[in-house]
Amino acid sequence: MTNEEILAQYGPRESMEYDVVVVGGGPGGLATAIRLKQLAAEKGQDVSVVVLEKGSEPGAHILSGAIMDPKALTELIPDWKAKGAPLNQPVTDDAYIFLSEKSGFRVPNVFLPPFAHNHGNYIVRLGDVTKWMAEQAEALGVEIFPGFAAAEVLYGDNGEVIGVATGDMGIEKDGSIGPAFERGMALQAKYTIFAEGARGHLGRQLIARYKLDEGKDPQAYGIGIKELWQIDPAKHEPGLVVHAAGWPLDSDTYGGAFLYHADGGKVAIGYVVGLDYRNPWLSPFEEFQRFKTHPSIRKHLEGGTRIGYGARAITAGGLLSLPKTVFPGGALVGCEAGYLNASRIKGS
């Protein structure tokens, strides 16, 4: 059934109006919502802000173990420690290792460039940080709608963005209308912020429509595969950060790995492969599994249990690939805009 047929049979969507709609309840979207509320309070104004989050709650679908530089969080919420932000494990040691098939060479820390030093940073579970940020946003009056994914951008008469619509419910597998069909809701706003993450489907439409990437280098992407392990307590080194390059990838394939000893006896381990690899037989997932068998890596995991896993596209194009981020009626933020700092391995 076409949109026109649905409109004729079921009528227009119900609509809600806000000053700002934020699409995506990750760190970028929540930081945007918090900052808008702070700015409004400083000026004695009331700004209505709603965040659409596709997961069951903010942070629920974020597996990433990450190293977080607290600088931006300190700018946003200076008293984050007093408010219980889950930054509990400071980095204690950095290990950069180049792997061959049977051995590994650790670069002496004295030779590491400044951006590779993580002292003063924290190993975090980004899902926990996101959940905490959602609590701070709600305390400021931000509305959060979990379980709602934006499915369509809404445009005004002059081509400007005026909001988004959530997806229709009750569509059968063959695309037909089921007995429990319910129209999605239109959320209209003076300004709509898109924070869907890397390669967000609405963000890609907006970049194309408004030619936001005109004159820019093409964006580059990688696939990040990650796992969370509960390891043998005797092998746990809280605060240890390991980054690795080399085997099993060949010298012509972009990629690398990380292993972070977080608090609670947990280790976050992950593998990134650039999606420009030329070998059609290469499987990033299988390369990751081979990587875990290397003696320098296996020793951390033996006797442990994998308790979570997932994968995510990441942006890796750098400054020359950043699109223009503002367009009529809205803006792109976070990984939607490509703000991952690949050289520092920092995305939040």
Side-chain angles (χ1 to χ4, degrees):
M1 185 176 286
T2 67
N3 286 336
E4 290 76 14
E5 291 170 333
I6 292 175
L7 180 62
Q9 183 170 344
Y10 294 95
R13 298 181 176 100
E14 291 187 24
S15 179
M16 299 177 68
E17 293 190 6
Y18 292 87
D19 290 313
V20 180
V21 170
V22 180
V23 180
L30 290 169
T32 300
I34 290 169
R35 188 62 185 138
L36 286 169
K37 279 292 192 179
Q38 290 173 339
L39 290 170
E42 290 170 9
K43 296 184 178 182
Q45 299 176 355
D46 183 28
V47 174
S48 58
V49 182
V50 65
V51 175
L52 293 181
E53 165 52 40
K54 64 185 178 183
S56 58
E57 64 176 352
H61 66 286
I62 299 179
L63 174 68
S64 175
I67 296 176
M68 190 169 187
D69 183 338
K71 178 180 178 180
L73 183 60
T74 300
E75 292 178 3
L76 183 68
I77 305 175
D79 58 346
W80 57 264
K81 287 186 179 180
K83 289 183 174 178
L87 280 68
N88 302 316
Q89 181 56 67
V91 174
T92 57
D93 190 19
D94 281 297
Y96 277 76
I97 303 174
F98 288 91
L99 302 178
S100 63
E101 186 170 356
K102 299 296 183 182
S103 64
F105 169 74
R106 176 174 175 173
V107 179
N109 282 22
V110 68
F111 294 122
L112 294 177
F115 69 79
H117 288 277
N118 283 295
H119 286 275
N121 298 335
Y122 293 82
I123 299 172
V124 300
R125 183 178 183 277
L126 200 57
D128 291 342
V129 174
T130 303
K131 184 177 180 180
W132 176 83
M133 289 181 68
E135 294 169 357
Q136 309 312 303
E138 288 182 316
L140 293 172
V142 175
E143 293 185 50
I144 299 177
F145 291 174
F148 287 90
E152 180 185 346
V153 181
L154 304 178
Y155 298 98
D157 294 337
N158 297 314
E160 78 281 16
V161 172
I162 60 170
V164 294
T166 62
D168 295 332
M169 309 291 285
I171 304 293
E172 300 295 324
K173 290 182 179 180
D174 61 2
S176 63
I177 300 298
F181 177 77
E182 184 177 335
R183 291 226 69 186
M185 180 172 289
L187 292 102
Q188 298 186 341
K190 299 172 184 175
Y191 219 68
T192 308
I193 309 295
F194 293 84
E196 301 172 285
R199 285 185 59 79
H201 76 293
L202 299 182
R204 281 182 287 156
Q205 294 174 27
L206 293 164
I207 290 171
R209 181 185 180 98
Y210 295 110
K211 297 181 172 59
L212 302 179
D213 57 352
E214 192 169 54
K216 306 293 184 178
D217 285 352
Q219 184 59 268
Y221 296 95
I223 182 71
I225 305 166
K226 50 205 173 185
E227 295 179 352
L228 186 65
W229 282 66
Q230 189 77 47
I231 67 166
D232 181 347
K235 297 179 179 180
H236 191 230
E237 302 178 56
L240 173 63
V241 167
V242 178
H243 289 106
W247 187 89
L249 294 180
D250 59 39
S251 59
D252 293 328
T253 305
Y254 168 76
F258 64 84
L259 187 149
Y260 305 150
H261 282 249
D263 58 343
K266 294 181 175 61
V267 160
I269 182 170
Y271 205 70
V272 175
V273 178
L275 291 177
D276 60 347
Y277 59 84
R278 294 176 179 271
N279 177 5
W281 303 107
L282 187 147
S283 164
F285 174 77
E286 291 181 3
E287 296 301 276
F288 177 39
Q289 302 310 315
R290 284 211 295 162
F291 161 76
K292 291 191 298 181
T293 68
H294 192 281
S296 298
I297 305 303
R298 183 176 188 144
K299 65 181 182 181
H300 296 273
L301 304 176
E302 281 185 321
T305 303
R306 186 179 64 181
I307 58 176
Y309 55 90
R312 188 72 172 88
I314 63 172
T315 54
L319 286 173
L320 297 179
S321 298
L322 293 181
K324 182 181 177 182
T325 56
V326 176
F327 48 85
L332 309 176
V333 301
C335 286
E336 183 100 80
Y339 286 155
L340 175 79
N341 188 334
S343 62
R344 292 194 68 209
I345 320 176
K346 302 286 185 293
S348 300

